[in-house]
Amino acid sequence: MQKIALLLGVLLVLAGCGSSKFETYDGPEVTRIILFKEERRMHLMHGNTALKSYDVDLGFAPLGHKEQEGDGRTPEGAYVIDRRNPNSQFHLSLGISYPNADDRAYAAERGFSPGGDIFIHGRPKKFSKLPQDWTQGCIAVTNREMQKIYAMVKNGTPIWIYE
């Protein structure tokens, strides 16, 4: 009976050692995200203090503001994190509220779709050999970094994206 109890104890310990893509965070609140596209650098901010900073990959045509679906650009301007996808094909992802009202109006005036589904996301192994700036307009970090970002950033967090 002692051997069975010991075996069960060992199995419980080993089960707890399994890696999870979901982390916890109990530090200062991320009050905003700032991204500088030209520098390929994203900062998670608490007030005026950067809590974490990350190198990022962007859309395959990174310069300029996203104007229409398929242009490969990462949007610029003020948005918010508006959704979470724990089952993303890109590990984990946080949705950005692009297109906003101005983006939709601009595209409508010109007769095209502004696109959408812009996320901060990871980089699965099948995309590990791609060059810099490979997304369709999203912001990509490593999977390990995405786990930390996913834990730190809450829905409703403002994101400012600059050229």
Side-chain angles (χ1 to χ4, degrees):
M1 192 66 165
Q2 286 180 333
K3 287 183 181 180
I4 292 173
L6 180 61
L7 179 61
L8 286 175
V10 169
L11 289 174
L12 285 173
V13 169
L14 290 175
C17 292
S19 64
S20 170
K21 65 181 177 178
F22 300 105
E23 296 187 14
T24 57
Y25 174 73
D26 63 357
E29 176 186 8
V30 175
T31 56
R32 65 191 160 118
I33 301 169
I34 301 173
L35 171 68
F36 296 99
K37 289 173 36 175
E38 194 168 309
E39 297 173 11
R40 308 295 191 286
R41 199 83 174 135
M42 180 174 70
H43 308 279
L44 305 186
M45 307 295 293
H46 176 76
N48 291 324
T49 303
L51 299 172
K52 293 280 188 179
S53 297
Y54 300 96
D55 293 326
V56 299
D57 287 332
L58 303 171
F60 62 81
L63 300 180
H65 175 60
K66 183 165 194 62
E67 295 180 349
Q68 71 182 62
E69 186 171 17
D71 66 8
R73 294 182 179 160
T74 301
E76 296 172 2
Y79 301 94
V80 296
I81 300 302
D82 65 354
R83 60 202 182 278
R84 311 171 82 68
N85 185 353
N87 300 311
S88 171
Q89 68 174 330
F90 297 97
H91 192 58
L92 294 168
S93 62
L94 297 173
I96 297 173
S97 63
Y98 176 88
N100 62 26
D102 291 339
D103 298 320
R104 286 189 296 276
Y106 180 87
E109 286 173 8
R110 285 151 184 79
F112 49 75
S113 168
D117 285 336
I118 301 297
F119 288 85
I120 301 170
H121 60 65
R123 186 174 182 148
K125 287 183 172 88
K126 68 180 181 177
F127 294 99
S128 65
K129 296 196 182 344
L130 291 175
Q132 182 180 29
D133 299 333
W134 56 274
T135 77
Q136 296 292 315
C138 293
I139 301 159
V141 294
T142 68
N143 288 351
R144 182 175 278 313
E145 291 168 338
M146 191 62 221
Q147 288 172 201
K148 294 185 183 318
I149 295 165
Y150 196 87
M152 293 176 73
V153 175
K154 305 299 178 215
N155 286 4
T157 302
I159 178 169
W160 293 83
I161 305 172
Y162 300 100
E163 179 72 39

Coordinates of all heavy atoms in Angstrom, one line a residue, residues 9-93:
G9 N 2.0 9.8 -5.3 CA 2.6 11.1 -5.0 C 3.6 11.5 -6.0 O 3.7 12.7 -6.4
V10 N 4.4 10.6 -6.5 CA 5.4 10.9 -7.6 C 4.7 11.4 -8.8 O 5.1 12.3 -9.5 CB 6.4 9.7 -7.9 CG1 7.2 10.0 -9.1 CG2 7.3 9.5 -6.7
L11 N 3.6 10.7 -9.2 CA 2.9 11.0 -10.4 C 2.2 12.4 -10.3 O 2.2 13.2 -11.2 CB 1.8 10.0 -10.7 CG 2.3 8.6 -11.2 CD1 1.1 7.7 -11.3 CD2 3.0 8.8 -12.5
L12 N 1.7 12.8 -9.1 CA 1.2 14.1 -8.9 C 2.2 15.2 -9.0 O 2.0 16.2 -9.6 CB 0.5 14.2 -7.5 CG -0.8 13.5 -7.4 CD1 -1.3 13.5 -6.0 CD2 -1.9 14.1 -8.3
V13 N 3.4 14.9 -8.5 CA 4.5 15.9 -8.6 C 4.9 16.1 -10.1 O 5.1 17.2 -10.6 CB 5.7 15.5 -7.7 CG1 7.0 16.3 -8.1 CG2 5.4 15.6 -6.3
L14 N 5.0 15.0 -10.8 CA 5.4 15.0 -12.2 C 4.4 15.7 -13.0 O 4.7 16.5 -13.9 CB 5.7 13.6 -12.8 CG 7.0 13.0 -12.2 CD1 7.0 11.5 -12.8 CD2 8.2 13.8 -12.6
A15 N 3.1 15.5 -12.7 CA 2.0 16.2 -13.4 C 2.1 17.7 -13.2 O 1.8 18.5 -14.2 CB 0.7 15.7 -13.0
G16 N 2.5 18.1 -12.1 CA 2.6 19.6 -11.8 C 3.8 20.2 -12.5 O 3.9 21.4 -12.6
C17 N 4.7 19.4 -13.0 CA 5.9 19.9 -13.7 C 5.7 20.2 -15.2 O 6.5 20.7 -15.8 CB 7.1 18.9 -13.6 SG 7.7 18.7 -11.9
G18 N 4.6 19.7 -15.7 CA 4.3 20.0 -17.1 C 4.2 21.4 -17.4 O 3.8 22.3 -16.6
S19 N 4.7 21.8 -18.6 CA 4.7 23.2 -18.9 C 3.3 23.7 -19.4 O 2.6 22.9 -20.1 CB 5.7 23.5 -20.0 OG 5.4 22.8 -21.2
S20 N 2.9 24.9 -19.1 CA 1.7 25.4 -19.5 C 2.0 26.7 -20.2 O 2.9 27.5 -19.9 CB 0.7 25.7 -18.3 OG -0.4 26.5 -18.7
K21 N 1.2 27.1 -21.2 CA 1.4 28.3 -21.9 C 0.8 29.5 -21.1 O 0.9 30.6 -21.5 CB 0.9 28.3 -23.4 CG -0.6 28.1 -23.5 CD -0.9 28.0 -25.0 CE -2.4 27.7 -25.2 NZ -2.7 27.7 -26.7
F22 N 0.0 29.2 -20.1 CA -0.6 30.2 -19.3 C 0.2 30.5 -18.0 O 0.4 29.6 -17.2 CB -2.0 29.8 -18.9 CG -2.9 29.5 -20.1 CD1 -3.2 28.2 -20.5 CD2 -3.3 30.6 -20.9 CE1 -3.9 28.0 -21.7 CE2 -4.1 30.4 -22.1 CZ -4.4 29.1 -22.4
E23 N 0.6 31.7 -17.9 CA 1.4 32.2 -16.8 C 0.5 33.1 -15.9 O -0.5 33.6 -16.4 CB 2.6 32.9 -17.2 CG 3.6 32.1 -18.0 CD 4.9 32.8 -18.3 OE1 5.2 33.8 -17.7 OE2 5.7 32.2 -19.1
T24 N 1.0 33.3 -14.7 CA 0.3 34.3 -13.9 C 1.2 35.5 -13.7 O 2.4 35.4 -13.9 CB 0.0 33.7 -12.5 OG1 1.2 33.3 -11.9 CG2 -1.0 32.6 -12.6
Y25 N 0.6 36.6 -13.4 CA 1.3 37.9 -13.2 C 0.7 38.6 -12.0 O -0.5 38.8 -12.0 CB 1.3 38.7 -14.5 CG 1.9 40.1 -14.3 CD1 3.3 40.2 -14.2 CD2 1.1 41.2 -14.2 CE1 3.9 41.5 -14.1 CE2 1.7 42.5 -14.1 CZ 3.1 42.6 -14.0 OH 3.7 43.8 -13.9
D26 N 1.5 39.1 -11.1 CA 1.0 39.8 -9.9 C 1.7 41.1 -9.7 O 1.7 41.7 -8.6 CB 0.9 39.0 -8.7 CG 2.3 38.5 -8.2 OD1 3.3 38.8 -8.9 OD2 2.4 37.9 -7.2
G27 N 2.4 41.6 -10.8 CA 3.1 42.9 -10.7 C 2.3 44.1 -10.9 O 1.0 44.0 -11.0
P28 N 2.9 45.2 -11.2 CA 2.2 46.4 -11.5 C 1.3 46.3 -12.7 O 1.7 45.6 -13.7 CB 3.3 47.5 -11.7 CG 4.5 46.9 -11.1 CD 4.4 45.4 -11.1
E29 N 0.2 47.0 -12.7 CA -0.7 46.9 -13.9 C -0.1 47.5 -15.1 O 0.6 48.6 -15.0 CB -2.0 47.7 -13.5 CG -3.0 47.8 -14.7 CD -4.1 48.7 -14.4 OE1 -4.2 49.4 -13.3 OE2 -5.1 48.7 -15.2
V30 N -0.3 46.9 -16.2 CA 0.1 47.5 -17.5 C -1.0 48.5 -17.9 O -2.1 48.1 -18.2 CB 0.3 46.4 -18.6 CG1 0.6 47.0 -20.0 CG2 1.4 45.4 -18.3
T31 N -0.6 49.8 -17.9 CA -1.6 50.8 -18.1 C -1.7 51.2 -19.6 O -2.7 51.8 -20.0 CB -1.3 52.1 -17.3 OG1 0.0 52.5 -17.5 CG2 -1.4 51.7 -15.8
R32 N -0.7 50.9 -20.4 CA -0.7 51.1 -21.8 C 0.5 50.4 -22.4 O 1.4 50.0 -21.8 CB -0.6 52.6 -22.1 CG 0.7 53.3 -21.7 CD 0.6 54.8 -21.9 NE 1.6 55.4 -21.0 CZ 2.6 56.1 -21.5 NH1 2.6 56.4 -22.8 NH2 3.5 56.6 -20.7
I33 N 0.3 50.2 -23.7 CA 1.4 49.6 -24.6 C 1.8 50.6 -25.6 O 1.0 51.3 -26.1 CB 0.9 48.3 -25.3 CG1 0.4 47.3 -24.3 CG2 1.9 47.7 -26.2 CD1 -0.4 46.2 -25.0
I34 N 3.1 50.8 -25.8 CA 3.6 51.7 -26.8 C 4.5 50.9 -27.7 O 5.3 50.1 -27.3 CB 4.5 52.8 -26.1 CG1 3.7 53.6 -25.1 CG2 5.1 53.7 -27.2 CD1 4.5 54.6 -24.4
L35 N 4.2 51.0 -29.0 CA 5.0 50.3 -30.1 C 5.6 51.4 -31.0 O 4.9 52.2 -31.5 CB 4.1 49.4 -30.8 CG 4.7 48.7 -32.1 CD1 5.8 47.8 -31.7 CD2 3.7 48.0 -32.9
F36 N 6.9 51.3 -31.2 CA 7.6 52.1 -32.2 C 8.0 51.2 -33.4 O 8.9 50.4 -33.3 CB 8.8 52.7 -31.6 CG 8.5 53.7 -30.5 CD1 8.6 53.3 -29.2 CD2 8.0 55.0 -30.8 CE1 8.2 54.2 -28.1 CE2 7.7 55.9 -29.8 CZ 7.8 55.5 -28.5
K37 N 7.2 51.3 -34.5 CA 7.4 50.4 -35.6 C 8.8 50.5 -36.2 O 9.4 49.5 -36.5 CB 6.4 50.7 -36.7 CG 5.0 50.2 -36.3 CD 3.9 50.6 -37.2 CE 4.2 50.7 -38.7 NZ 3.1 50.9 -39.5
E38 N 9.3 51.7 -36.4 CA 10.6 51.9 -37.0 C 11.7 51.2 -36.2 O 12.7 50.6 -36.7 CB 10.9 53.3 -37.2 CG 12.1 53.6 -38.1 CD 12.2 55.0 -38.5 OE1 11.2 55.6 -38.9 OE2 13.3 55.6 -38.4
E39 N 11.6 51.2 -34.9 CA 12.6 50.6 -34.0 C 12.3 49.1 -33.8 O 13.1 48.4 -33.2 CB 12.6 51.3 -32.6 CG 13.0 52.7 -32.6 CD 12.8 53.4 -31.3 OE1 12.5 52.7 -30.3 OE2 12.9 54.6 -31.3
R40 N 11.1 48.6 -34.2 CA 10.6 47.2 -34.0 C 10.7 46.9 -32.5 O 11.1 45.9 -32.0 CB 11.5 46.2 -34.7 CG 11.7 46.4 -36.2 CD 10.4 46.3 -37.0 NE 10.6 46.2 -38.4 CZ 10.9 47.3 -39.2 NH1 11.1 48.4 -38.7 NH2 11.0 47.1 -40.5
R41 N 10.1 47.9 -31.6 CA 10.2 47.7 -30.2 C 8.9 48.1 -29.6 O 8.3 49.1 -29.9 CB 11.3 48.7 -29.7 CG 11.8 48.4 -28.4 CD 12.9 47.4 -28.4 NE 13.5 47.3 -27.1 CZ 13.7 46.2 -26.4 NH1 13.6 45.0 -27.0 NH2 14.2 46.2 -25.2
M42 N 8.4 47.2 -28.7 CA 7.2 47.4 -28.0 C 7.5 47.4 -26.5 O 8.2 46.6 -25.9 CB 6.2 46.2 -28.3 CG 4.9 46.3 -27.6 SD 3.8 44.9 -28.1 CE 4.5 43.5 -27.4
H43 N 6.8 48.3 -25.8 CA 7.0 48.6 -24.3 C 5.7 48.4 -23.6 O 4.7 49.0 -24.0 CB 7.5 50.0 -24.1 CG 8.8 50.3 -24.9 ND1 10.0 49.9 -24.6 CD2 8.9 51.0 -26.1 CE1 10.9 50.3 -25.5 NE2 10.2 51.0 -26.4
L44 N 5.7 47.6 -22.6 CA 4.5 47.5 -21.7 C 4.8 48.4 -20.5 O 5.7 48.3 -19.8 CB 4.4 46.0 -21.1 CG 4.3 44.9 -22.2 CD1 4.0 43.6 -21.5 CD2 3.3 45.2 -23.2
M45 N 3.9 49.4 -20.4 CA 4.1 50.5 -19.5 C 3.2 50.5 -18.3 O 2.0 50.1 -18.4 CB 3.8 51.9 -20.2 CG 4.6 52.0 -21.5 SD 6.4 52.2 -21.3 CE 6.5 53.7 -20.5
H46 N 3.7 51.0 -17.2 CA 2.9 51.3 -16.0 C 3.2 52.8 -15.7 O 4.3 53.1 -15.3 CB 3.3 50.5 -14.8 CG 2.6 50.9 -13.5 ND1 1.3 50.5 -13.3 CD2 3.0 51.6 -12.5 CE1 1.0 51.0 -12.1 NE2 2.0 51.7 -11.6
G47 N 2.2 53.6 -16.1 CA 2.5 55.1 -16.0 C 3.6 55.4 -17.0 O 3.5 55.0 -18.2
N48 N 4.7 56.0 -16.6 CA 5.8 56.4 -17.4 C 7.0 55.4 -17.3 O 8.0 55.7 -17.8 CB 6.3 57.8 -17.1 CG 5.2 58.8 -17.6 OD1 4.6 58.7 -18.6 ND2 5.1 59.9 -16.8
T49 N 6.7 54.3 -16.7 CA 7.8 53.3 -16.5 C 7.6 52.1 -17.4 O 6.5 51.5 -17.3 CB 7.8 52.8 -15.0 OG1 8.0 54.0 -14.2 CG2 8.9 51.8 -14.7
A50 N 8.6 51.7 -18.1 CA 8.5 50.5 -18.9 C 8.7 49.3 -18.0 O 9.8 49.1 -17.4 CB 9.5 50.5 -20.0
L51 N 7.7 48.4 -17.9 CA 7.8 47.2 -17.1 C 8.6 46.1 -17.9 O 9.4 45.4 -17.3 CB 6.4 46.6 -16.8 CG 5.5 47.5 -16.0 CD1 4.1 47.0 -15.9 CD2 6.1 47.7 -14.6
K52 N 8.3 46.0 -19.2 CA 9.0 45.1 -20.1 C 9.1 45.7 -21.5 O 8.2 46.4 -21.9 CB 8.2 43.7 -20.2 CG 8.2 42.9 -18.9 CD 9.5 42.2 -18.8 CE 9.3 41.2 -17.6 NZ 10.5 40.4 -17.4
S53 N 10.1 45.3 -22.2 CA 10.2 45.8 -23.6 C 10.6 44.6 -24.5 O 11.3 43.7 -24.0 CB 11.3 46.9 -23.7 OG 10.9 48.0 -23.0
Y54 N 10.1 44.6 -25.7 CA 10.3 43.4 -26.6 C 10.6 43.9 -28.0 O 10.1 44.9 -28.5 CB 9.0 42.6 -26.6 CG 8.5 42.1 -25.3 CD1 7.6 42.8 -24.6 CD2 9.0 40.9 -24.8 CE1 7.1 42.3 -23.3 CE2 8.6 40.4 -23.6 CZ 7.7 41.1 -22.8 OH 7.3 40.6 -21.6
D55 N 11.5 43.1 -28.6 CA 11.7 43.2 -30.1 C 10.5 42.6 -30.7 O 10.0 41.5 -30.3 CB 13.0 42.6 -30.5 CG 14.2 43.3 -29.9 OD1 14.2 44.5 -29.8 OD2 15.2 42.6 -29.6
V56 N 10.1 43.1 -31.8 CA 8.9 42.6 -32.5 C 9.1 42.5 -34.0 O 10.0 43.1 -34.6 CB 7.6 43.5 -32.3 CG1 7.3 43.6 -30.8 CG2 7.8 44.9 -32.9
D57 N 8.3 41.6 -34.6 CA 8.2 41.5 -36.1 C 6.8 42.2 -36.4 O 5.9 42.1 -35.6 CB 8.2 40.1 -36.6 CG 9.6 39.5 -36.5 OD1 10.6 40.2 -36.6 OD2 9.7 38.3 -36.4
L58 N 6.8 42.8 -37.6 CA 5.5 43.5 -38.0 C 5.0 42.9 -39.3 O 5.5 41.8 -39.8 CB 5.8 45.0 -38.2 CG 6.4 45.7 -36.9 CD1 6.9 47.1 -37.3 CD2 5.4 45.7 -35.8
G59 N 4.1 43.6 -39.9 CA 3.6 43.2 -41.2 C 4.7 43.3 -42.3 O 5.7 44.0 -42.1
F60 N 4.5 42.5 -43.3 CA 5.6 42.4 -44.4 C 5.9 43.7 -45.1 O 6.9 43.8 -45.8 CB 5.3 41.2 -45.3 CG 4.1 41.4 -46.1 CD1 4.0 42.2 -47.3 CD2 2.9 40.7 -45.8 CE1 2.9 42.3 -48.1 CE2 1.7 40.8 -46.5 CZ 1.7 41.6 -47.7
A61 N 5.0 44.7 -45.0 CA 5.2 46.0 -45.5 C 5.1 47.0 -44.4 O 4.1 47.7 -44.2 CB 4.2 46.4 -46.6
P62 N 6.1 47.1 -43.5 CA 5.9 47.7 -42.2 C 5.7 49.2 -42.2 O 5.2 49.8 -41.2 CB 7.1 47.3 -41.4 CG 8.1 47.0 -42.4 CD 7.4 46.5 -43.6
L63 N 6.2 49.9 -43.2 CA 6.2 51.4 -43.1 C 4.8 51.9 -43.6 O 4.2 51.4 -44.5 CB 7.3 52.0 -44.0 CG 8.7 51.6 -43.6 CD1 9.7 52.2 -44.5 CD2 9.0 52.0 -42.1
G64 N 4.4 52.9 -42.9 CA 3.1 53.5 -43.2 C 1.9 52.8 -42.4 O 2.0 51.7 -41.9
H65 N 0.8 53.6 -42.4 CA -0.4 53.1 -41.7 C -1.1 52.1 -42.5 O -1.3 52.3 -43.7 CB -1.3 54.3 -41.3 CG -2.6 54.0 -40.7 ND1 -2.7 53.3 -39.5 CD2 -3.8 54.2 -41.1 CE1 -3.9 53.1 -39.2 NE2 -4.7 53.7 -40.1
K66 N -1.7 51.1 -41.9 CA -2.6 50.1 -42.6 C -3.8 50.9 -43.1 O -4.4 51.6 -42.4 CB -3.0 49.0 -41.6 CG -3.8 48.0 -42.3 CD -4.0 46.7 -41.4 CE -4.5 45.6 -42.2 NZ -3.6 45.2 -43.3
E67 N -4.0 50.7 -44.4 CA -5.1 51.4 -45.0 C -6.2 50.4 -45.6 O -7.4 50.7 -45.6 CB -4.6 52.3 -46.2 CG -3.8 53.4 -45.7 CD -3.3 54.3 -46.8 OE1 -3.4 53.9 -48.0 OE2 -2.7 55.3 -46.5
Q68 N -5.7 49.2 -46.0 CA -6.7 48.3 -46.6 C -6.3 46.9 -46.4 O -5.1 46.6 -46.1 CB -6.9 48.6 -48.1 CG -5.8 48.2 -49.0 CD -6.1 48.6 -50.4 OE1 -6.2 49.7 -50.7 NE2 -6.1 47.6 -51.3
E69 N -7.2 46.0 -46.4 CA -7.0 44.6 -46.3 C -6.0 44.1 -47.3 O -6.0 44.5 -48.4 CB -8.3 43.8 -46.5 CG -8.2 42.4 -46.2 CD -9.6 41.7 -46.2 OE1 -10.6 42.3 -46.8 OE2 -9.7 40.6 -45.7
G70 N -5.0 43.3 -46.8 CA -4.0 42.7 -47.7 C -2.8 43.6 -47.9 O -1.9 43.2 -48.7
D71 N -2.7 44.8 -47.4 CA -1.6 45.7 -47.7 C -0.3 45.3 -46.9 O 0.8 45.9 -47.1 CB -1.9 47.2 -47.5 CG -2.2 47.6 -46.1 OD1 -2.0 46.8 -45.2 OD2 -2.7 48.8 -46.0
G72 N -0.4 44.4 -45.9 CA 0.7 44.0 -45.2 C 1.3 44.9 -44.2 O 2.4 44.8 -43.6
R73 N 0.5 46.0 -43.9 CA 1.0 47.0 -43.0 C 0.4 46.8 -41.6 O -0.7 46.3 -41.4 CB 0.6 48.4 -43.5 CG 1.3 48.8 -44.7 CD 0.9 50.2 -45.2 NE 1.6 50.6 -46.4 CZ 1.2 51.5 -47.2 NH1 0.1 52.2 -46.9 NH2 1.9 51.8 -48.3
T74 N 1.2 47.2 -40.6 CA 0.7 47.3 -39.2 C 0.1 48.6 -39.0 O 0.7 49.6 -39.3 CB 1.9 47.0 -38.3 OG1 2.5 45.7 -38.6 CG2 1.5 47.0 -36.8
P75 N -1.1 48.7 -38.4 CA -1.7 50.0 -38.2 C -0.9 50.9 -37.3 O 0.0 50.5 -36.6 CB -3.1 49.7 -37.5 CG -3.1 48.2 -37.4 CD -1.9 47.6 -37.8
E76 N -1.2 52.2 -37.4 CA -0.6 53.2 -36.5 C -1.8 54.0 -35.9 O -2.8 54.2 -36.5 CB 0.2 54.2 -37.3 CG 1.4 53.5 -38.0 CD 2.2 54.4 -38.9 OE1 1.8 55.6 -39.1 OE2 3.2 53.9 -39.5
G77 N -1.6 54.4 -34.7 CA -2.6 55.2 -34.0 C -2.9 54.6 -32.6 O -2.2 53.8 -32.1
A78 N -4.1 55.1 -32.1 CA -4.6 54.7 -30.8 C -5.6 53.6 -30.9 O -6.6 53.8 -31.6 CB -5.1 55.9 -30.1
Y79 N -5.4 52.5 -30.2 CA -6.3 51.4 -30.2 C -6.4 50.8 -28.8 O -5.7 51.4 -27.9 CB -5.9 50.3 -31.2 CG -5.8 50.8 -32.6 CD1 -4.6 51.3 -33.1 CD2 -6.9 50.9 -33.4 CE1 -4.5 51.8 -34.4 CE2 -6.9 51.4 -34.7 CZ -5.6 51.9 -35.2 OH -5.6 52.4 -36.5
V80 N -7.1 49.8 -28.6 CA -7.1 49.1 -27.3 C -7.0 47.6 -27.5 O -7.4 47.1 -28.6 CB -8.4 49.4 -26.5 CG1 -8.5 50.9 -26.1 CG2 -9.7 48.9 -27.2
I81 N -6.6 46.9 -26.5 CA -6.6 45.4 -26.6 C -8.1 45.0 -26.3 O -8.6 45.4 -25.2 CB -5.7 44.8 -25.5 CG1 -4.2 45.2 -25.8 CG2 -5.8 43.3 -25.5 CD1 -3.7 44.9 -27.1
D82 N -8.7 44.4 -27.2 CA -10.2 44.2 -27.1 C -10.6 42.7 -27.1 O -11.8 42.4 -26.9 CB -10.9 44.9 -28.2 CG -10.6 44.4 -29.6 OD1 -9.7 43.5 -29.8 OD2 -11.3 44.8 -30.6
R83 N -9.7 41.8 -27.2 CA -10.0 40.4 -27.1 C -8.8 39.5 -26.9 O -7.7 40.0 -27.1 CB -10.8 39.9 -28.4 CG -10.0 40.0 -29.7 CD -11.0 40.1 -30.8 NE -10.3 40.2 -32.1 CZ -9.9 41.3 -32.7 NH1 -9.9 42.4 -32.0 NH2 -9.3 41.2 -33.9
R84 N -9.0 38.3 -26.5 CA -7.9 37.3 -26.2 C -8.3 36.0 -26.9 O -9.4 35.6 -27.0 CB -7.9 37.0 -24.7 CG -7.9 38.3 -23.9 CD -8.0 38.0 -22.4 NE -6.8 37.6 -21.8 CZ -5.7 38.4 -21.6 NH1 -5.8 39.7 -22.0 NH2 -4.6 38.0 -21.1
N85 N -7.2 35.4 -27.5 CA -7.4 34.1 -28.1 C -6.4 33.1 -27.5 O -5.3 33.0 -27.9 CB -7.3 34.2 -29.6 CG -7.6 32.9 -30.3 OD1 -7.8 31.8 -29.7 ND2 -7.6 32.9 -31.6
P86 N -6.9 32.3 -26.5 CA -6.0 31.3 -25.9 C -5.7 30.1 -26.9 O -4.8 29.3 -26.6 CB -6.8 30.8 -24.7 CG -8.2 31.0 -25.1 CD -8.2 32.2 -26.0
N87 N -6.5 30.0 -28.0 CA -6.3 28.9 -28.9 C -5.8 29.3 -30.3 O -6.1 28.7 -31.3 CB -7.6 28.1 -29.0 CG -8.1 27.6 -27.7 OD1 -7.4 26.9 -27.0 ND2 -9.4 27.9 -27.4
S88 N -5.1 30.4 -30.3 CA -4.6 31.0 -31.5 C -3.7 30.0 -32.3 O -2.9 29.3 -31.6 CB -3.8 32.3 -31.2 OG -3.1 32.8 -32.3
Q89 N -3.7 30.0 -33.6 CA -2.7 29.3 -34.3 C -1.3 29.8 -34.2 O -0.3 29.2 -34.6 CB -3.1 29.2 -35.8 CG -3.0 30.5 -36.5 CD -3.3 30.4 -38.0 OE1 -3.0 29.3 -38.6 NE2 -3.8 31.4 -38.6
F90 N -1.2 31.0 -33.6 CA 0.1 31.7 -33.3 C 0.3 31.7 -31.8 O 0.7 32.7 -31.2 CB 0.1 33.1 -33.9 CG -0.1 33.1 -35.4 CD1 -1.3 33.3 -35.9 CD2 1.0 32.9 -36.2 CE1 -1.4 33.3 -37.3 CE2 0.9 32.9 -37.5 CZ -0.3 33.1 -38.1
H91 N 0.1 30.5 -31.2 CA 0.4 30.2 -29.7 C -0.7 30.9 -28.8 O -1.5 30.2 -28.3 CB 1.8 30.7 -29.4 CG 2.2 30.2 -28.1 ND1 2.3 28.8 -27.7 CD2 2.7 30.8 -26.9 CE1 2.7 28.7 -26.5 NE2 3.0 29.9 -26.0
L92 N -0.6 32.2 -28.6 CA -1.6 33.0 -27.9 C -1.7 34.3 -28.6 O -0.7 34.7 -29.3 CB -1.1 33.2 -26.4 CG -1.0 32.1 -25.5 CD1 -0.2 32.5 -24.2 CD2 -2.3 31.5 -25.1
S93 N -2.8 35.0 -28.5 CA -2.9 36.3 -29.1 C -3.8 37.2 -28.4 O -4.8 36.8 -27.7 CB -3.3 36.1 -30.6 OG -4.6 35.5 -30.7

